[in-house]
Amino acid sequence: MKTLCKRYATIFLFFSFPTLVTGIFSFFVNLKWFPIAEMLRGLIVDFLIFAPSIILPSFLSLFYVLALFPALLVITLTSALHTFIYKSPPSKFAIQSILETSFNESIEFLHEFTTPSTCLMALILLIVYFFIIKKTSYYIKNTDKNFTSKLIILIIASCVAFSVHLKGNKLLLSNPSYLTAYSVSQYSNDIHIINDIRKTRNNIHFNNIQFATSPKAGPKNYIFIIGESASKHHMSIYGYGRQTTPKLEQLSQDCIVFSDVVSADTHTIPALRKTLLFHEGTKEQDILKAPSIIGLLRDAGFKTFWLSNQTANSDGLTGTSVLAGDAHYQAFLNKSRHEGQSSSYDEVLLPELQKALADPAPNKAIFLHLIGSHLSYSLRYPKDFAKFHERCDATSEQWRIDASDYINAYDNSIYYTDSIIEEVVKNVAAVEGESFVLYFSDHGQEVYDTRNMRGQDAKNPSRNMIEIPLLCWLSPSYRAANSDMVSRMEKAKDRPFSMAWFAQTAADLARVSFDGAHPERSLFAEDFITRDRPLPNGRTYEDMFGKKARQ
């Protein structure tokens, strides 16, 4: 019995090798425990891959093992190298990006990352895995698999299959082998649809584009910082008790801070669609056919950049990569499988920003997509920014006291974002030309402020989930050339506004008009008409929170 268990363990090791390598590598490069939990979930799925090798007759089992070996070897090496290089296991987007990589791009990648350490690591993995396949093949040919052992394996596999049925992709996608197969399958199914959407978006153009000022008056650098999960209620520049935004407060004389802004949605992808697209009057199913502010600036002669510290979220047609595709240049710097488990800090965007600002194009529009305060909050900032530690004792709710660690981590993430915004402003201020840096968050976040929860709820949002920061730094050159705009912005500081109307506002700020524009919908318009602000649950902000919320 002991010998049989040893042999079965070796066979299981063969099938679970990609999961074990990915989990162990990810743990050691991050020194966090979540990769181990992910690995354990992946091992449960590996049991389903392992079971046929025991239940099938020996000759079919051997064929099954040998047929899977090349694929499992490739998955192991790919996952290990990705984890080693990017400090995170490959995501669905990363796998699909590999499928789209050209031969020349592959050669460039190998040239860049072929080092003695990566070669040694790959060699060790090859030797170990060849030893395991040799042992596995021997055990399958020479082990008498009795009825009892087959029955036990079948029962366990049935229980695992039932768990997979209940958990679905939440469990399955923890397994590198399944993730790879699923990504390839989805890519194959979606590629034609995705290409059609891309072609449609490539054919969207704006007519009769005009500038309020001369487009050749001098270089222009327009920066849009898209925050993540930042509630204005945790920002001291909006009156929060903790000093979470000291840098922005120092910049406040050169910034215009808007006080009454709500997000277009409570979750990133629908919020960004509604924020960046000229979508009003467009049916929900056709929203990706609507033009974007990125496309407008591109057609207006700006070189456009999308620089992101979030993953592309290439789930069919839902990802931000579809919107980013409107830009001339896109860079997704976060290579993690799950954003919630990524420790990629937003400072990685700063070198890319500097490259974009140094680009010879005279007019540039740069969109920076932060990971900001995305769950998990404690992964969003370096140790140097762990400013807040105290317990939330000044409250009568025990659940807020118990949640002190989460609240502190969230506030630390806001404190770190504050420093990132300041660095962006410094970089932009150092280059010549008319410039602005506009910052907003895609949505807010409830962090045990009014409820015993953290996160968002589209059906029943709280104010903290939807009341967001919107502020804009203007360079002296921009102020001098656009004094009328600055005056209108100052008058609009306290207007009730929804980011669902942002695209027209951004066009106004960029001083660009076009056929079909609705300038009266801009927050800065002299004839701006106040409207009730839509929420994702079908109600309006005014309806849910009353007239006082509009003041």
Side-chain angles (χ1 to χ4, degrees):
M1 183 65 182
K2 185 178 179 180
T3 301
L4 185 64
C5 289
K6 177 184 176 181
R7 294 187 171 196
Y8 282 4
T10 302
I11 298 171
F12 181 75
L13 177 61
F14 166 76
F15 290 102
S16 63
F17 196 65
T19 303
L20 290 167
V21 168
T22 302
I24 293 170
F25 272 51
S26 186
F27 171 75
F28 280 107
V29 299
N30 289 291
L31 294 179
K32 304 284 185 182
W33 285 107
F34 61 79
I36 300 300
E38 184 92 347
M39 181 183 74
L40 293 175
R41 288 192 292 269
L43 290 173
I44 294 173
V45 178
D46 282 323
F47 197 90
L48 290 179
I49 307 174
F50 154 78
S53 67
I54 305 302
I55 297 170
L56 293 171
S58 293
F59 73 96
L60 287 178
S61 296
L62 184 61
F63 176 79
Y64 177 67
V65 167
L66 295 176
L68 285 183
F69 175 64
L72 295 178
L73 178 61
V74 169
I75 293 168
T76 300
L77 293 174
T78 302
S79 294
L81 287 169
H82 192 283
T83 304
F84 186 77
I85 294 167
Y86 296 113
K87 314 303 180 189
S88 174
S91 63
K92 178 182 174 183
F93 172 71
I95 294 168
Q96 293 184 341
S97 295
I98 292 171
L99 296 175
E100 289 190 329
T101 301
S102 67
F103 177 76
N104 288 336
E105 289 171 333
S106 300
I107 295 298
E108 289 176 10
F109 178 86
L110 291 174
H111 182 265
E112 180 73 21
F113 292 107
T114 300
T115 64
S117 56
T118 56
C119 290
L120 179 61
M121 179 192 67
L123 180 62
I124 292 172
L125 289 175
L126 280 170
I127 292 171
V128 172
Y129 210 23
F130 273 108
F131 175 77
I132 294 172
I133 181 66
K134 183 178 179 181
K135 282 285 186 182
T136 299
S137 300
Y138 174 79
Y139 287 153
I140 283 179
K141 287 189 291 185
N142 296 282
T143 300
D144 182 18
K145 297 175 284 187
N146 56 54
F147 176 77
T148 302
S149 64
K150 289 183 177 183
L151 181 61
I152 292 171
I153 296 296
L154 183 61
I155 292 171
I156 296 173
S158 298
C159 294
V160 172
F162 182 69
S163 297
V164 167
H165 172 71
L166 293 178
K167 298 290 185 180
N169 277 349
K170 185 176 181 181
L171 179 60
L172 288 168
L173 293 177
S174 298
N175 183 276
S177 302
Y178 178 84
L179 175 66
T180 301
Y182 176 78
S183 301
V184 172
S185 174
Q186 285 292 104
Y187 179 82
S188 177
N189 291 335
D190 290 350
I191 189 62
H192 298 298
I193 302 173
I194 293 172
N195 284 338
D196 286 345
I197 288 292
R198 286 173 177 168
K199 288 177 183 177
T200 299
R201 298 203 61 77
N202 287 338
N203 290 326
I204 296 174
H205 295 289
F206 294 81
N207 297 317
N208 194 26
I209 293 175
Q210 297 183 14
F211 288 82
T213 57
S214 171
K216 297 181 180 179
K220 296 177 174 62
N221 298 292
Y222 296 164
I223 317 300
F224 299 86
I225 305 177
I226 303 170
E228 170 64 55
S229 302
S231 169
K232 76 174 189 179
H233 295 285
H234 282 256
M235 304 179 80
S236 53
I237 198 170
Y238 282 96
Y240 185 52
R242 285 175 161 177
Q243 195 176 30
T244 54
T245 55
K247 304 296 186 183
L248 284 174
E249 287 158 48
Q250 291 173 11
L251 292 169
S252 60
Q253 288 186 342
D254 298 316
C255 285
I256 300 174
V257 181
F258 300 90
S259 66
D260 194 4
V261 179
V262 300
S263 59
D265 207 287
T266 54
H267 291 79
T268 298
I269 292 171
L272 290 188
R273 285 181 180 179
K274 296 172 186 176
T275 298
L276 300 178
L277 296 175
F278 294 91
H279 65 89
E280 288 196 84
T282 304
K283 295 181 180 178
E284 184 67 28
Q285 64 269 27
D286 295 328
I287 195 167
L288 286 177
K289 297 177 182 178
S292 72
I293 181 60
I294 307 170
L296 172 62
L297 294 173
R298 179 198 62 210
D299 287 0
F302 287 78
K303 186 166 184 180
T304 48
F305 301 78
W306 180 277
L307 309 176
S308 176
N309 190 29
Q310 296 204 20
T311 62
N313 262 331
S314 183
D315 293 325
L317 305 179
T318 66
T320 54
S321 58
V322 175
L323 299 177
D326 287 357
H328 290 107
Y329 175 80
Q330 309 107 43
F332 290 90
L333 305 178
N334 192 325
K335 305 298 183 179
S336 67
R337 184 183 298 177
H338 301 298
E339 287 167 353
Q341 297 176 351
S342 163
S343 55
S344 175
Y345 303 132
D346 283 325
E347 59 201 55
V348 300
L349 292 167
L350 297 177
E352 288 291 330
L353 171 65
Q354 291 164 359
K355 291 178 188 176
L357 290 171
D359 190 277
N363 298 334
K364 295 178 280 289
I366 305 170
F367 293 79
L368 300 173
H369 192 192
L370 309 183
I371 200 166
S373 300
H374 196 294
L375 286 166
S376 298
Y377 313 134
S378 61
L379 299 178
R380 300 294 157 247
Y381 52 90
K383 291 181 180 179
D384 292 347
F385 287 84
K387 177 180 181 179
F388 304 105
H389 308 280
E390 64 270 21
R391 290 171 60 81
C392 299
D393 293 327
T395 178
S396 59
E397 290 87 359
Q398 182 61 41
W399 45 266
R400 269 187 59 78
I401 298 174
D402 295 340
S404 293
D405 288 345
Y406 291 110
I407 297 169
N408 288 333
Y410 184 76
D411 288 349
N412 288 332
S413 72
I414 298 289
Y415 180 59
Y416 177 61
T417 297
D418 176 64
S419 72
I420 295 297
I421 298 171
E422 184 205 32
E423 287 297 320
V424 172
V425 170
K426 282 183 178 179
N427 278 278
V428 176
V431 299
E432 181 187 357
E434 297 175 25
S435 305
F436 65 72
V437 177
L438 186 140
Y439 167 76
F440 65 90
S441 184
D442 56 354
H443 54 78
Q445 190 92 161
E446 176 74 31
V447 191
Y448 303 98
D449 299 287
T450 62
R451 305 175 188 175
N452 187 13
M453 68 163 287
R454 63 185 185 277
Q456 310 100 262
D457 181 358
K459 292 183 179 179
N460 184 28
S462 68
R463 287 188 180 184
N464 296 70
M465 298 176 192
I466 55 175
E467 293 181 356
I468 59 169
L470 174 66
L471 51 91
C472 188
W473 174 87
L474 302 168
S475 72
S477 297
Y478 183 94
R479 288 176 178 272
N482 302 278
S483 57
D484 61 320
M485 169 58 69
V486 178
S487 175
R488 289 194 278 126
M489 291 174 73
E490 291 285 357
K491 292 177 183 177
K493 286 194 297 186
D494 299 317
R495 281 179 182 164
F497 183 70
S498 168
M499 293 301 287
W501 314 324
F502 175 76
Q504 184 61 61
T505 300
D508 196 10
L509 183 62
R511 311 313 311 269
V512 176
S513 64
F514 56 96
D515 282 353
H518 293 277
E520 74 282 357
R521 294 176 184 171
S522 166
L523 171 60
F524 314 134
E526 294 280 10
D527 56 348
F528 178 80
I529 300 173
T530 301
R531 295 181 282 169
D532 286 353
R533 292 167 281 183
L535 297 178
N537 61 1
R539 298 177 65 183
T540 66
Y541 177 86
E542 283 67 30
D543 175 40
M544 280 201 71
F545 301 110
K547 291 183 179 180
K548 287 185 178 181
R550 296 182 60 178
Q551 297 175 354

